[in-house]
Amino acid sequence: MDRIRIIGGNKLHGTIPISGAKNAALPLMIAALLTDETLILDNVPRLADVALLQRILGNHGVDIMAAGKRPGDHEYQGQTLHISAKNIIDTTAPYELVSKMRASFWVVAPLLARMHEAKVSLPGGCAIGTRPVDLLIMALEKLGAEISIDGGYVIAKAPGGLKGATIEFPKVTVSGTHVALMAATLAKGSTIISNAACEPEITDVADCLNKMGARITGAGTPRILIEGVDKLHGARHTVLPDRIETGTYAMAVAMTGGEVQLSGARPELLQAALDVLSQAGVSITPNNDGIKVARNGAGISPVTVTTAPFPGFPTDLQAQLMALMTRAKGASHITETIFENRFMHVQELARFGAKIALDGETATIDGVAKLRGAPVMATDLRASVSLVIAALAAEGETMVNRIYHLDRGFERLEEKLSACGATIERISG
Ligand code: UD1
């Protein structure tokens, strides 16, 4: 299993290109199941999760062609996928595949909407809390699906097709909103989703669905209205930049000091996180090409932050912020409200000498003057990268073990960081 070796202490200087958003690319690829015409997606990141979803879609009979690079393409430009779900040969998504990535469960929505049936294994994915699918099932039932659970599979049927309905989510859920949105595009009549997630990735998917002929308004607000249509068609869409990758590298620069241009980043996608970094004493300058992040001389000031649905501070940046605050001048408080059990990085950060105390949903981090490199183990996707951030500022050598989580969500992490002066290498095998 690959490992990453880091020698800490170097400031970061240079440019980091921001990739397409994993959390938009996955539902966009899944949305291709809604039409028998080809959906072309540009700026798809090269990630293990994307490759796995290609296999999962292939199992349903979807043809995916990855276009090669053309002259003039940027070195880091994402891939272009031509996805054709002309013939869906199988409406079952098996345990062996779905258990590896939670988002693949979402195929249930387009399969049900277009084929009127789906059999999908209950999901796996990052071990951050129980992460149930009850609200996804509730949304599909509201749209008229008959659902049973048998042998670990969700079996969904809608013999006469789905019917528009009012779906009110009792809590904000990204997965629930994606599923409701996709399913409702082909339902008869109109659907209202209230208390919908407002994450930019939801808006990106809705934009793409509208290009495919869907009639969706209000995406990006808590109330989304969908007028069902009989059929969707092909389209071409560019995946929006990854706000979590953007925030992660911003925190890495904040941690090491230096100055880095995050090329292609869009500040409005992560304003809450950028505001927190400004409070911490980091210089954030939006410009034509993205965001410039710098910390020169000044230390890191402690912050108090609570994770919240968009536009709040994202749970997917919580571990990275905690790593940064291990070096702050004073005590920081970070409260996690989205996922229970999303503090698995705490014990690993302690191996660097960080001082973190947990009390229920809140972590108190007492900044220390120095971190020391250590062997550590990656647990979930975002936790893994928090260990990389700590290692970049730690004295001596860190070996990050079990990095397959990193490969699920961060494209060419070690290349991007070493190009800015970090001493970081992947050790294969
Ligand atoms: C998505 C993101 C993930 C991010 C999260 C929150 C993708 C591929 N993943 O995950 O990176 O951390 O949003 O921004 O886009 N819940 C229920 N019942 C359900 C569904 C969810 O109780 O049926 C709960 C969850 O346990 C959690 C909360 O709702 O406590 C939010 O989950 P949700 O927004 O659905 O997260 P994901 O879509 O899984």
Side-chain angles (χ1 to χ4, degrees), residues 22-24 26-27 102-103 106 128 130-137 171-176 178 197 199 201 243 309 314-316 337-340 342 382:
K22 170 181 89 77
N23 286 355
L26 300 178
R102 184 182 153 83
W106 305 350
I128 45 172
T130 46
R131 299 187 90 176
V133 290
D134 55 324
L135 300 176
L136 284 63
I137 289 174
K171 76 194 303 191
V172 176
T173 153
V174 172
S175 53
H178 276 309
E199 269 63 6
E201 293 76 20
R243 63 197 166 97
T315 172
D316 283 353
T337 65
I338 309 291
F339 292 111
E340 76 220 51
R342 200 174 201 180
R382 311 304 176 182

Side-chain angles (χ1 to χ4, degrees), residues 30-31 33-34 106-116 182-183 186:
I30 290 171
L33 284 167
L34 285 164
W106 305 350
V107 298
V108 69
L111 289 174
L112 189 56
R114 183 170 147 206
M115 308 302 290
H116 302 174
M182 283 193 250
L186 292 180

Side-chain angles (χ1 to χ4, degrees), residues 107-371:
V107 298
V108 69
L111 289 174
L112 189 56
R114 183 170 147 206
M115 308 302 290
H116 302 174
E117 60 168 41
K119 181 177 172 191
V120 180
S121 169
L122 285 162
C126 277
I128 45 172
T130 46
R131 299 187 90 176
V133 290
D134 55 324
L135 300 176
L136 284 63
I137 289 174
M138 177 279 282
L140 295 173
E141 282 178 339
K142 286 266 181 206
L143 292 168
E146 294 155 20
I147 297 198
S148 56
I149 295 182
D150 189 19
Y153 279 78
V154 171
I155 298 164
K157 293 193 173 116
L162 295 172
K163 294 184 183 65
T166 296
I167 300 166
E168 183 159 358
F169 285 112
K171 76 194 303 191
V172 176
T173 153
V174 172
S175 53
T177 306
H178 276 309
V179 159
L181 188 64
M182 283 193 250
T185 55
L186 292 180
K188 284 194 191 74
S190 53
T191 296
I192 294 169
I193 307 175
S194 65
N195 201 24
C198 302
E199 269 63 6
E201 293 76 20
I202 301 278
T203 315
D204 204 39
V205 171
D207 287 348
C208 177
L209 290 170
N210 281 340
K211 287 181 196 165
M212 294 164 70
R215 295 176 59 199
I216 302 166
T217 51
T221 76
R223 190 171 186 276
I224 305 178
L225 179 67
I226 304 121
E227 296 289 345
V229 295
D230 290 340
K231 218 172 170 319
L232 294 180
H233 52 71
R236 183 162 198 154
H237 184 79
T238 302
V239 179
L240 90 172
D242 196 315
R243 63 197 166 97
I244 304 304
E245 189 195 27
T246 306
T248 299
Y249 288 123
M251 289 188 204
V253 180
M255 185 66 153
T256 60
E259 184 172 307
V260 170
Q261 173 70 25
L262 301 176
S263 173
R266 279 176 37 197
E268 73 279 13
L269 302 181
L270 72 160
Q271 199 53 55
L274 296 178
D275 289 348
V276 167
L277 284 174
S278 299
Q279 274 172 41
V282 181
S283 154
I284 302 284
T285 317
N287 52 34
N288 285 343
D289 174 47
I291 308 171
K292 191 166 79 187
V293 182
R295 186 171 68 80
N296 294 309
I300 301 160
S301 302
V303 295
T304 294
V305 168
T306 299
T307 61
F310 190 85
F313 187 93
T315 172
D316 283 353
L317 286 174
Q318 180 255 106
Q320 297 90 316
L321 180 68
M322 194 176 300
L324 175 62
M325 287 304 138
T326 62
R327 295 284 315 281
K329 291 180 289 185
S332 301
H333 304 278
I334 301 181
T335 302
E336 171 60 53
T337 65
I338 309 291
F339 292 111
E340 76 220 51
N341 195 23
R342 200 174 201 180
F343 280 135
M344 282 163 325
H345 41 286
V346 168
Q347 63 191 35
E348 292 303 294
L349 288 172
R351 298 172 61 80
F352 292 95
K355 288 198 179 141
I356 306 171
L358 283 180
D359 181 11
E361 297 176 335
T362 300
T364 299
I365 306 108
D366 279 312
V368 293
K370 259 186 204 170
L371 298 178

